[in-house]
Amino acid sequence: MNIADNSNKVPENVSGSYYVDEECIGCELCVDTAPDNFKMAEDGTHAYVYKQPEGDSETELSDEALSSCPVDAIGDDG
């Protein structure tokens, strides 16, 4: 399994354990899965973490987004 590269994060990510890296293709799957935590960049080219998960529900959805990402661009260093 490939994993996201925490040295190659997109700049919009808020600090915390979850992040999106430069491999993101902008498919919006994470935004659809965990809209409380992921947003698309203004130019639509990639997603980013705008709020770290709080509570079990947001964490489960963020983990689902991470495991569903078709290009393994979501990471969790937690």
Side-chain angles (χ1 to χ4, degrees):
M1 176 175 122
N2 292 329
I3 55 170
D5 181 0
N6 68 5
S7 67
N8 199 24
K9 297 176 185 176
V10 297
E12 297 92 339
N13 288 304
V14 295
S15 62
S17 63
Y18 286 85
Y19 61 90
V20 177
D21 76 8
E22 297 283 351
E23 295 300 311
C24 179
I25 58 173
C27 74
E28 299 189 28
L29 184 65
C30 60
V31 176
D32 292 340
T33 303
D36 291 337
N37 305 100
F38 294 88
K39 277 188 181 174
M40 291 302 294
E42 288 291 318
D43 63 7
T45 60
H46 61 276
Y48 63 95
V49 176
Y50 77 95
K51 184 173 85 70
Q52 292 293 326
E54 297 174 6
D56 292 343
S57 177
E58 287 185 10
T59 300
E60 286 173 19
L61 290 173
S62 293
D63 285 342
E64 184 179 329
L66 186 156
S67 63
S68 316
C69 180
V71 293
D72 299 314
I74 301 171
D76 174 15
D77 289 344

